[in-house]
């Protein structure tokens, strides 16, 4: 049996235990803050991962778009190149037909030059390259290596007229390209007999000397062809032609000495010897 004080003590102990149990069920302020921080970190991590995935998707989409654009550009360039090639081929064929018609007139020298340059519009005139190719194609069989056609009394004057004006060097280079193509088809033949140095001379070299002597193709025109950025895929036979013209280039590159009249006469004889076909 308890006294009044005993009842009060028991009541106080019950109140203590009740308060303790109540405190255990309710998180403290610090615990709540930690829990909130954990949740916030998870949310931020999820947001960062989602942002990362979105960036990956955007980058992949951009790469796919760039690849598609590059493929489309490549296809367009290929198509444009194909169209340009077809256009160039058609132009060559048209010029060849035009030149064949002009040459069928039988005119030569100044008469042929007047016929060619007498066309109403410059745009309707054939290129020097086309006329040269037509002349070479029309030579009788067995005369493909002749240089007579280069003279001004034959087709040289007409070629000179077609090369006149702006872009003369490029036009003259076109003549050399036509000569190159012609001799490439003939497998770059040489003279039957050796020269005074004991060597057989490439016939293309003979023609180049003749064209140079007749002032149809000048040094700048030769060099425009010589140093052009092309190869055998674009100009079949270019490598062989360059090799065959080694002596011609050596002669061409020699600095002109101060000459007397007698020395000038000797030079004329020298170039005539180089021109003469054997």
């Amino acid at each position: 049996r308890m006294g009044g004080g005993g009842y009060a003590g028991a009541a106080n102990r019950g109140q203590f235990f009740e308060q303790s149990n109540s405190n255990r069920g309710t998180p403290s302020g610090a615990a709540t803050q930690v829990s909130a921080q954990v949740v916030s970190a998870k949310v931020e991590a999820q947001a960062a991962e989602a942002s990362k995935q979105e960036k990956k998707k955007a980058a992949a989409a951009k790469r796919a778009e760039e690849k598609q654009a590059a493929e489309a550009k490549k296809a367009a360039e290929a198509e444009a190149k194909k169209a340009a090639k077809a256009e160039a081929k058609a132009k060559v064929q048209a010029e060849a037909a035009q030149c064949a018609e002009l040459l069928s007139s039988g005119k030569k020298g100044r008469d042929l030059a007047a016929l060619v340059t007498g066309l109403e519009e410059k745009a309707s005139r054939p290129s020097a390259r086309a006329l040269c190719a037509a002349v070479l194609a029309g030579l009788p069989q067995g005369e493909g290596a002749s240089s007579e056609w280069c003279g001004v009394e034959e087709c040289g004057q007409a070629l000179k007229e077609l090369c006149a004006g702006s872009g003369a060097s490029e036009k003259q280079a076109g003549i050399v390209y036509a000569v190159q193509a012609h001799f490439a088809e003939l497998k770059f033949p040489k003279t039957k007999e050796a020269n005074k140095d004991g060597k057989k001379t490439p016939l293309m070299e003979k023609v180049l000397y003749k064209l140079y002597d007749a002032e149809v193709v000048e040094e700048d025109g030769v060099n425009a062809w010589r140093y052009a950025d092309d190869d055998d895929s674009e100009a079949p036979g270019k490598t062989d032609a360059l090799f065959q013209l080694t002596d011609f280039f050596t002669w061409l590159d020699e600095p002109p000495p101060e000459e007397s009249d007698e020395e000038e006469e000797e030079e004329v004889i020298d170039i005539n010897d180089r021109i003469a076909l054997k």
Side-chain angles (χ1 to χ4, degrees):
R1 183 178 179 180
M2 299 180 183
Y7 286 111
N12 288 336
R13 285 194 297 273
Q15 185 177 5
F16 171 77
F17 287 121
E18 183 179 351
Q19 185 175 359
S20 296
N21 291 334
S22 174
N23 287 339
R24 287 194 193 98
T26 305
S28 66
T32 302
Q33 186 176 3
V34 170
S35 178
Q37 288 175 348
V38 170
V39 172
S40 177
K42 285 183 178 179
V43 170
E44 287 178 1
Q46 290 173 348
E49 182 63 24
S51 176
K52 184 179 178 181
Q53 294 300 323
E54 285 299 320
K55 287 180 179 179
K56 279 186 176 181
K57 288 181 181 178
K62 185 178 180 181
R63 285 195 300 270
E65 184 179 346
E66 289 175 346
K67 183 180 179 182
Q68 187 177 8
E71 289 175 350
K73 182 181 178 181
K74 187 177 180 180
E77 288 175 349
E79 190 63 30
K81 190 174 181 180
K82 184 179 177 182
K85 206 170 182 180
E87 184 179 351
K89 184 178 180 180
K91 183 180 179 181
V92 168
Q93 292 174 339
E95 282 193 316
Q98 182 186 22
C99 290
E101 185 178 352
L102 290 169
L103 293 174
S104 68
S105 67
K107 294 184 178 181
K108 297 179 181 180
R110 295 191 178 279
D111 290 336
L112 178 60
L115 179 63
V116 171
T117 58
L119 297 173
E120 293 182 2
E121 299 179 7
K122 284 189 177 181
S124 65
R125 296 176 186 173
S127 65
R129 180 174 182 170
L131 182 61
C132 181
V135 171
L136 290 167
L139 291 177
Q141 191 172 4
E143 294 185 20
S146 171
S147 65
E148 295 304 317
W149 60 271
C150 306
V152 292
E153 67 282 356
E154 292 288 329
C155 300
Q157 187 62 38
L159 291 172
K160 288 175 71 172
E161 295 287 351
L162 289 173
C163 290
S166 60
S169 297
E170 287 71 24
K171 294 172 185 176
Q172 291 174 13
I175 294 175
V176 185
Y177 274 112
V179 172
Q180 169 198 317
H182 174 70
F183 282 104
E185 288 184 3
L186 297 177
K187 309 298 182 185
F188 293 101
K190 296 183 178 182
T191 54
K192 294 179 181 179
E193 298 177 10
N195 59 20
K196 60 183 180 181
D197 297 324
K199 296 191 301 182
K200 292 185 177 181
T201 306
L203 295 180
M204 182 175 176
E205 182 182 297
K206 293 286 187 180
V207 169
L208 259 290
Y209 276 118
K210 180 71 174 181
L211 288 169
Y212 187 87
D213 183 56
E215 297 181 346
V216 174
V217 176
E218 299 174 337
E219 185 172 354
D220 287 343
V222 173
N223 287 333
W225 168 81
R226 177 184 181 184
Y227 297 118
D229 186 16
D230 53 23
D231 53 33
D232 283 359
S233 64
E234 298 173 290
K238 179 72 176 283
T239 302
D240 288 336
L242 289 170
F243 179 76
Q244 293 226 332
L245 294 173
T246 301
D247 290 344
F248 175 78
F249 294 142
T250 300
W251 172 81
L252 188 67
D253 294 339
E254 288 178 353
E258 295 183 3
E259 301 169 336
S260 64
D261 292 341
E262 184 178 344
E263 287 173 332
E264 288 179 1
E265 184 178 349
E266 287 176 356
E267 183 181 355
V268 171
I269 294 173
D270 176 62
I271 195 170
N272 286 334
D273 287 342
R274 294 172 184 271
I275 292 168
L277 290 173
K278 296 180 180 180

